[in-house]
Amino acid sequence: MCLGVSLGMCLVALSGVRCAGSTGDHRLRFQGAVTGSGAAGVTALGWTLALERFVVAWGPTRVYSDAPIARARTRPRSLLAGLSVGTAWAQHCHGCPRAPVAELGFERGGSVLRAVDLLAPSPSPLGAANARNGLYRSVSFAFPGGSAVPDGGVVGAMLGGHSMVVRGTATRGAVSIPFEGSLDFNTQGGEDGAPTRPYTVYGVAFDRPEGLHLEATQEATDRVVVRVELARFFDQADFGSLPEPSEPGRPRAITAASQVATAWRLGVRDPRSYRVGWTGAGGSGEPRPGPQPAPDAGP
Amino acid sequence: MLPPNFQRKVGSTPTPLFFLGLILVVLVFAPMARAQDAGVVDGGGAAGDAPGTPRVVSPRLLERARPAYPADGGGRRVDVELLLTLNELGAVTHTEVLGHIPADAPESFDHAARAACASLRFEPARREGVPIPVRLRFHLAIAPPVVAHADAEVPELHDDEPGAGAEGLTHAHDQAHPPVNAGAADAGAADAGAATDATAAPEAGVPAPEGPAAEAVVRGGTRDRTASHYDLELGALRNVPRLTGAEVLSLAPGVMLSNEGTEGHAQHVFLRGFTGENGQDIAFSVDGIPLNEESNIHGQGYVDLYFLVPELVSRLDVTEGTADPRQGNFAVAGSIDYHLALPTRGLTVRSTLGRFNYQRLVALYGPGGHPDETFAAVDLVHSDGFGPSRGFDRASAVAQWVTEAGRSGLLRLLATVYATRFVSPGVVREDDLDAGRVDFFGAYPEAGRQGGLSSRALVAAAYDWRRAGERAELRVFGQARDLSLTENFTGYLLRAHEGDLIEQRYGGGTVGANGYYQRTAELFHRTHAVELGWFTRHDRYALAQRRLQALTSEPSRLRDNGDVSADVRATHVGLYLDLTARLLPRLTLRGGARLDALAYDVSADVFRAVDQRTERVNRNALGVHVGPKATAELHLGRGVTLLGSLGSGFRSPDALTLADGESAPFVSVLGQELGARWTLGNEPLARARLAVSTAAYHTLVGNDLLFDPTVGRSVPIGASRRLGAVLWLRARPRPWLDVNASLTYTRATVENDALGSTVPAGSLLPYVPAVVARLDVGLERDLGRWRSWAVRARGGLGASFYGPRPLPLDERSEPVFLVDLSAALRVGALELGASAKNLLDARWRDAQLNTASNFNPGTASSFFPVRHFTAGSPLTFFLTLGVYL
């Protein structure tokens, strides 16, 4: 009996024991925000844009530890890649995708898709990040179908079920072309063409090309800010190729098959269309405007 | 007796057919048991007893004799007849040698028998429930060739010498046979307080506990290579509730079991800082037959222990650490050898009903006149499980036959057939639980039907041979094995519409043999020993893995990079040399080395993206591992022994990870340990009434792996280190009470910055429990008689404590405290018992994982790893009805 009582007391005492030490990796807490480069901009083909509306269905934003110029892989190269052997540890993801060091757009396990007005005077919040310490080096953005965005209020209404909506005027020389249009990102197809996931852009540098190693954050003040260079989206667009509107006075429509729409998609995919800044320790602060594109020889 | 259909829905009740069958068994067999139990003439007592003579219950042997074979024995067997005097506690107070056969045997046999009988322990004789002193005729056979240690200056027995001290092939007839004297029992001795001249006649009405004259073939001896070697005879501890043979592992200090599936899926066995996924870090065996599976598609070293019937587990031979040359592949944290026996002779049938429609029928048969190691058993189990998708069915049959073979040999034949089919719930996300989207015991039906089927057919033969100064053992085995598993731990993360359900298959066979040869030699007036051992094994298995559609379980329409179709042929040859030198009276040195070579021939399908074709590619590899082992043992006297040891252990690589022509890399660990042991009365560890041991250990893994979620696979991280300490106690303060307790502390850390400095040097390895504590209490006691039936009670208590475990992202799991309890009362041939698992109904998490997942098809997937868990079993109670024939 004495033995049992002694052991019981030991167990009660042990229940309060917390093993000293850490597994090394730990959570970080910070916020995210996205903003546009402004209503005015100049494309590489010399078109000066004056934007009146630019609304985007914004999906998950993820930060990875790999190099930004590398095309991100969603799966490891090979399950048979055995570099060495060790005692191995619990992991049950067969063919796991790479995990990000930070992820915005998920709250309490569920995805949060947002309708974002990139012409808003202040950055639009992306919510709190699920994040851990590590090397922050490259960023990806996912653009879902607009219909996937839940009721987003006024901004959501402007989306009208599309992934991106734009309206503005493009001017070059004496030519001024009002335009409007939308992009619909069918989710990227799998091997059988069936949609699998939102359209994702990879390889954007986090604050600087070599990345930033984050070990601690100030939750109240530290945040990652994404700046979308709106004019870059249309670097290769020739607005003059847009067909005349059916009704006079109406803007020219960016149709799905138009050259402008194709250029727009290319612009969305181009990592140079985005700049990511870190406002915390070691960061460069909110992203500054990028260099103006070298004007191409236009018509 | 079981319902014709094992498939039952949750919450359904056993069919009336089951109850009728149970009642039938009772009605048919109870009278037979009663007849055997009575044996008493109506109105009378024992034959020849005068009416009204108080009934006397014979003493019952609890601890057998292990005589030392005399040095002048000449290699022959001698039977010694003795007259023992027992006091009220069942202890032998006087021994008188009546004679021996053959008559010309030297007197040294008498001395050996007398010395051995001094350590006998009995349940005392009783008259009307009151213990009394008695005299008892006892027959002890001392068979060759057991060489006692020659060092008379050291009173301690060296159990690991071939036949030294406590070893020997003996036959001890059950104390109830033959009767001492015919005629009335003279109970006056106790009344008069005289010296023990009374002679007790066995109660004629007492059921012969072992049937006809029982013979116990005793093969003793243990190998104490470290202070963390535990020879765990279950004894009364078998009354602690355990549903499977795997749960017996909790007796071993520091062992923590975890299961991410249902019964049928191999458990993770944590020990000494190793997570032991599916058993891979411990070399498991049953009576020397290896159980770890080579290149199992689910995990290298996978061990399925569900074929073991828990009632048959009589002893666990646990060696923690890597200091024993007999430890081979997979002995990274240690090795555990199951020994099977059935102490209760005759036919025993138990039927159990429990919560969640748990139904079990087990039949155990131990023929009288045969040793405990001869038995047959059939075990049938069904349960709906404690939540959705947790049902299982299991059928197991085990039979073993042990007999003497020749003058000096012992032959053991083992056969077992087993199959289980089970359903698994998968894992639950913590954030889903917090958000109320899923219940604690719930599951994600969208993940698909998970579970599997496991089967095994095993045959083995072992020959144990002894002669003066020599001992040898030869074991051959063959096994056919099949495993099919489906699981989905990530939902729709990778395939948003089909789901991530995968199917794994592993099937084939294993043949092998192992053994050793021991020899002692006298040198400088001391006994030394040398042992040469060998191990061979050949495995041929087909491996397959493919994706299934989660909602239909049909094969995926798409190819997956992870699909596997391969044939593996693995050949393992091992050799070891072990030397024992007693240089000083109190100092023993043991050292040796082990060499293992493994060759792999892999034939696998490889998909060529360039032309979308699949072709068969062959590759082969061979690896060699050399592992030194050494132990120093210092006897301080008064039962205290200090032990220091070191050794190198290893685990073979998964064949699918090998490149063609590669020198197969092994997991190699180097372990050191320093500890002390004390046994009361300087008794051998396995039989000591009180034994305590403590040890501090250190293990270094040269090149460990850690899962890096940012790359989606395990990556090398350099060295890792495990430091810890263990305290163990075994006590038998009363003949009917047995206590086993342990407390283990472990700290497992990385040695270098890992994962791009995300995990700095000194960081804890995740999932390793820092504190593991365990208490087992078992009791078995005769309560006298009720009417003409013997009444016997037994019970058990098991308590486990697991301290908070470090999890990724510097989180901690909650501590876990579980209590199991059982009690049973036997009257004559019938026994009724009740037991409870998780008596406190603790809500606890069994397996915990950190991975990304998405169980909502069609929605965006988060790639950030989050905590997942499988729920541990809640309070579950059982009722058992047993019949002993």
Side-chain angles (χ1 to χ4, degrees):
Chain A
M1 175 182 262
C2 291
L3 178 63
V5 170
S6 301
L7 285 172
M9 291 173 64
C10 286
L11 292 178
V12 170
L14 285 170
S15 64
V17 169
R18 177 186 171 90
C19 50
S22 162
T23 53
D25 52 351
H26 53 272
R27 290 191 182 277
L28 299 180
R29 304 197 184 282
F30 55 87
Q31 300 290 319
V34 61
T35 186
S37 56
V42 180
T43 73
L45 290 184
W47 292 92
T48 300
L49 302 181
L51 299 172
E52 301 167 23
R53 175 178 295 178
F54 206 121
V55 184
V56 174
W58 198 273
T61 301
R62 299 185 176 97
V63 185
Y64 294 92
S65 293
D66 61 342
I69 59 174
R71 178 78 181 176
R73 298 175 64 89
T74 58
R75 295 172 187 173
R77 285 187 173 78
S78 170
L79 265 178
L80 305 184
L83 302 178
S84 176
V85 291
T87 57
W89 298 92
Q91 66 90 4
H92 294 77
C93 191
H94 298 266
C96 270
R98 302 172 307 126
V101 289
E103 186 177 65
L104 295 108
F106 288 88
E107 295 170 10
R108 301 192 73 194
S111 63
V112 179
L113 305 178
R114 293 180 166 82
V116 174
D117 180 3
L118 292 179
L119 297 182
S122 57
S124 302
L126 293 179
N130 292 320
R132 49 166 285 179
N133 64 319
L135 178 61
Y136 284 58
R137 202 168 179 190
S138 74
V139 188
S140 72
F141 309 107
F143 300 106
S147 58
V149 179
D151 180 22
V154 173
V155 179
M158 287 193 287
L159 263 182
H162 299 290
S163 299
M164 290 188 182
V165 170
V166 66
R167 190 172 68 196
T169 302
T171 303
R172 190 167 69 178
V175 178
S176 181
I177 300 174
F179 63 90
E180 68 177 3
S182 62
L183 272 187
D184 291 303
F185 290 118
N186 293 324
T187 52
Q188 288 174 314
E191 293 181 6
D192 63 349
T196 59
R197 61 185 79 243
Y199 188 88
T200 306
V201 176
Y202 295 95
V204 179
F206 182 89
D207 193 85
R208 62 195 68 172
E210 66 272 22
L212 208 61
H213 196 93
L214 300 185
E215 275 299 321
T217 58
Q218 302 292 330
E219 184 176 1
T221 57
D222 293 350
R223 65 177 185 173
V224 57
V225 180
V226 180
R227 175 189 169 98
V228 182
E229 302 292 340
L230 300 176
R232 278 260 187 199
F233 277 177
F234 300 99
D235 261 0
Q236 304 301 319
D238 181 9
F239 290 92
S241 65
L242 291 174
E244 293 285 343
S246 56
E247 295 178 21
R250 289 195 57 78
R252 299 190 189 188
I254 302 175
T255 60
S258 65
Q259 187 274 346
V260 175
T262 302
W264 190 3
R265 285 182 180 274
L266 290 174
V268 170
R269 192 187 303 174
D270 189 347
R272 295 173 297 177
S273 301
Y274 312 88
R275 299 185 69 78
V276 177
W278 173 248
T279 65
S284 304
E286 298 208 8
R288 294 179 291 278
Q292 288 296 313
D296 287 347
Chain B
M1 286 186 61
L2 282 181
N5 183 359
F6 281 124
Q7 298 299 320
R8 288 286 182 267
K9 297 179 181 178
V10 174
S12 65
T13 55
T15 64
L17 180 62
F18 179 84
F19 285 114
L20 287 175
L22 194 60
I23 295 171
L24 179 65
V25 168
V26 172
L27 292 178
V28 167
F29 290 106
M32 294 169 59
R34 178 182 170 85
Q36 180 183 6
D37 177 56
V40 175
V41 178
D42 287 346
D49 285 354
T53 303
R55 296 177 182 276
V56 178
V57 176
S58 293
R60 188 174 67 90
L61 182 64
L62 297 177
E63 302 250 357
R64 292 188 172 90
R66 292 194 172 190
Y69 192 79
D72 59 349
R76 53 176 171 170
R77 166 179 165 159
V78 173
D79 292 75
V80 182
E81 194 79 9
L82 306 106
L83 186 65
L84 306 179
T85 303
L86 312 182
N87 63 11
E88 295 87 339
L89 296 178
V92 177
T93 58
H94 181 75
T95 306
E96 179 182 347
V97 176
L98 301 178
H100 52 242
I101 299 171
D104 64 343
E107 284 191 9
S108 55
F109 281 92
D110 297 344
H111 300 319
R114 187 179 290 113
C117 288
S119 63
L120 286 173
R121 293 176 61 207
F122 291 83
E123 179 73 19
R126 296 176 184 275
R127 181 186 60 195
E128 299 295 339
V130 178
I132 56 171
V134 293
R135 298 179 73 187
L136 181 69
R137 181 166 294 187
F138 194 78
H139 178 103
L140 187 65
I142 305 175
V146 179
V147 177
H149 66 89
D151 191 347
E153 299 174 14
V154 182
E156 292 83 357
L157 301 172
H158 302 286
D159 281 346
D160 61 330
E161 292 185 39
E167 285 196 11
L169 174 61
T170 68
H171 296 265
H173 290 275
D174 185 274
Q175 72 285 355
H177 302 275
V180 179
N181 280 320
D186 179 1
D191 290 339
T196 53
D197 290 329
T199 301
E203 172 60 49
V206 175
E210 259 65 60
E215 291 196 351
V217 176
V218 178
R219 285 283 192 190
T222 60
R223 291 171 61 87
D224 287 341
R225 305 306 295 233
T226 71
S228 301
H229 174 256
Y230 309 100
D231 188 10
L232 300 172
E233 193 92 30
L234 261 69
L237 297 180
R238 64 168 52 88
N239 298 316
V240 177
R242 294 185 183 90
L243 300 179
T244 67
E247 292 184 22
V248 181
L249 294 173
S250 60
L251 279 175
V255 166
M256 187 185 92
L257 301 176
S258 174
N259 199 339
E260 63 204 25
T262 320
E263 283 197 24
H265 184 282
Q267 293 180 315
H268 303 323
V269 186
F270 292 72
L271 179 64
R272 291 206 161 187
F274 295 93
T275 54
E277 288 197 35
N278 305 302
Q280 67 174 1
D281 290 324
I282 299 174
F284 287 98
S285 57
V286 57
D287 285 315
I289 304 163
L291 298 177
N292 298 79
E293 295 168 11
E294 182 65 55
S295 298
N296 187 304
I297 185 71
H298 191 69
Q300 171 71 342
Y302 186 100
V303 175
D304 182 346
L305 298 172
Y306 292 103
F307 72 100
L308 294 169
V309 180
E311 287 85 350
L312 295 179
V313 180
S314 70
R315 184 164 69 90
L316 283 184
D317 192 347
V318 179
T319 301
E320 298 184 5
T322 56
D324 192 339
R326 289 188 181 179
Q327 293 174 303
N329 196 5
F330 303 105
V332 169
S335 59
I336 298 178
D337 190 20
Y338 280 82
H339 294 278
L340 306 182
L342 184 63
T344 303
R345 311 312 288 170
L347 177 64
T348 303
V349 179
R350 289 199 185 120
S351 177
T352 302
L353 297 178
R355 194 181 176 192
F356 309 113
N357 200 25
Y358 182 92
Q359 304 169 37
R360 183 183 186 221
L361 179 69
V362 59
L364 308 157
Y365 178 60
H370 290 264
D372 294 354
E373 289 80 3
T374 295
F375 58 80
V378 174
D379 189 12
L380 303 169
V381 186
H382 165 80
S383 174
D384 291 343
F386 58 85
S389 303
R390 286 181 169 85
F392 65 91
D393 295 282
R394 182 169 72 243
S396 180
V398 185
Q400 182 168 272
W401 182 57
V402 173
T403 185
E404 289 185 43
R407 283 189 57 197
S408 310
L410 195 68
L411 179 65
R412 181 196 308 265
L413 301 176
L414 171 70
T416 175
V417 177
Y418 145 84
T420 183
R421 184 172 176 274
F422 55 97
V423 185
S424 295
V427 294
V428 170
R429 291 175 60 110
E430 284 284 358
D431 49 13
D432 280 347
L433 178 68
D434 294 339
R437 286 188 287 266
V438 67
D439 182 64
F440 186 85
F441 297 107
Y444 298 107
E446 302 85 0
R449 184 174 176 84
Q450 303 175 64
L453 185 141
S454 178
S455 67
R456 178 197 308 271
L458 171 70
V459 292
Y463 180 66
D464 186 345
W465 171 86
R466 303 181 188 208
R467 216 175 62 174
E470 296 176 284
R471 179 180 176 182
E473 200 166 302
L474 167 65
R475 193 178 294 107
V476 295
F477 54 90
Q479 170 180 269
R481 175 93 174 98
D482 279 285
L483 176 68
S484 173
L485 288 173
T486 58
E487 65 177 26
N488 183 358
F489 283 15
T490 53
Y492 292 76
L493 180 71
L494 305 174
R495 302 196 167 206
H497 291 265
E498 278 200 342
D500 303 337
L501 187 68
I502 66 164
E503 177 190 67
Q504 297 176 321
R505 302 186 72 88
Y506 178 76
T510 300
V511 294
N514 58 53
Y516 63 86
Y517 171 75
Q518 274 181 358
R519 187 182 180 89
T520 60
E522 294 289 324
L523 194 62
F524 303 119
H525 306 292
R526 302 198 189 281
T527 301
H528 310 277
V530 60
E531 177 175 316
L532 187 67
W534 53 279
F535 180 92
T536 64
R537 173 174 171 171
H538 181 73
D539 298 86
R540 285 178 172 254
Y541 284 89
L543 286 61
Q545 177 173 303
R546 63 177 180 176
R547 294 272 180 195
L548 303 178
Q549 299 181 52
L551 297 181
T552 62
S553 295
E554 292 179 357
S556 170
R557 294 167 293 168
L558 308 173
R559 241 202 99 264
D560 188 87
N561 287 339
D563 288 352
V564 172
S565 177
D567 295 308
V568 174
R569 291 165 289 279
T571 303
H572 178 188
V573 177
L575 189 69
Y576 71 84
L577 178 68
D578 188 25
L579 301 172
T580 300
R582 295 196 169 79
L583 305 178
L584 297 172
R586 295 181 180 273
L587 178 64
T588 301
L589 298 178
R590 297 188 180 88
R594 186 186 174 101
L595 186 147
D596 290 87
L598 284 95
Y600 297 91
D601 187 4
V602 181
S603 177
D605 285 345
V606 176
F607 179 74
R608 290 159 34 124
V610 62
D611 54 4
Q612 299 289 300
R613 287 175 51 195
T614 299
E615 63 179 26
R616 201 78 167 171
V617 175
N618 298 318
R619 57 184 191 271
N620 50 67
L622 185 140
V624 176
H625 180 270
V626 179
K629 319 270 186 178
T631 299
E633 189 176 321
L634 182 65
H635 301 273
L636 301 181
R638 296 181 181 274
V640 178
T641 303
L642 295 181
L643 294 104
S645 61
L646 63 88
S648 173
F650 75 97
R651 185 179 75 230
S652 58
D654 188 336
L656 293 183
T657 65
L658 298 172
D660 187 39
E662 177 179 9
S663 175
F666 290 85
V667 172
S668 185
V669 303
L670 186 64
Q672 302 91 25
E673 182 178 298
L674 184 64
R677 175 180 300 143
W678 172 74
T679 58
L680 178 66
N682 199 27
E683 295 173 325
L685 183 65
R687 300 185 304 279
R689 278 168 292 171
L690 179 62
V692 179
S693 78
T694 183
Y697 57 86
H698 167 261
T699 307
L700 185 71
V701 179
N703 194 8
D704 210 340
L705 291 178
L706 191 63
F707 183 71
D708 186 349
T710 63
V711 297
R713 65 178 187 272
S714 295
V715 298
I717 59 169
S720 64
R721 188 184 303 276
R722 289 142 178 90
L723 286 170
V726 56
L727 177 66
W728 172 79
L729 175 145
R730 184 76 181 259
R732 301 181 180 92
R734 294 287 184 272
W736 46 266
L737 182 63
D738 201 342
V739 178
N740 187 84
S742 66
L743 179 64
T744 306
Y745 171 78
T746 303
R747 185 178 177 87
T749 55
V750 299
E751 284 293 283
N752 309 298
D753 290 351
L755 307 188
S757 301
T758 301
V759 178
S763 297
L764 296 174
L765 289 168
Y767 307 108
V768 174
V771 175
V772 175
R774 175 75 187 179
L775 172 68
D776 290 84
V777 180
L779 63 89
E780 289 184 8
R781 187 164 191 179
D782 287 324
L783 301 181
R785 304 189 68 80
W786 179 68
R787 297 191 177 179
S788 60
W789 299 314
V791 179
R792 184 173 182 79
R794 62 189 184 92
L797 167 74
S800 293
F801 174 80
Y802 308 136
R805 290 192 284 158
L807 300 177
L809 300 179
D810 201 26
E811 295 180 351
R812 292 288 189 274
S813 69
E814 299 79 15
V816 176
F817 183 55
L818 302 172
V819 176
D820 305 324
L821 187 68
S822 78
L825 186 68
R826 175 179 167 180
V827 178
L830 292 180
E831 180 182 76
L832 185 65
S835 60
K837 298 276 286 178
N838 191 3
L839 182 67
L840 306 180
D841 201 17
R843 178 163 286 200
W844 60 292
R845 290 159 172 77
D846 192 345
Q848 299 196 60
L849 314 170
N850 212 58
T851 183
S853 69
N854 178 13
F855 292 98
N856 297 311
T859 63
S861 297
S862 168
F863 295 158
F864 197 80
V866 298
R867 274 177 68 178
H868 297 62
F869 69 92
T870 58
S873 175
L875 167 64
T876 311
F877 44 82
F878 307 88
L879 285 176
T880 301
L881 179 67
V883 178
Y884 296 81
L885 305 173

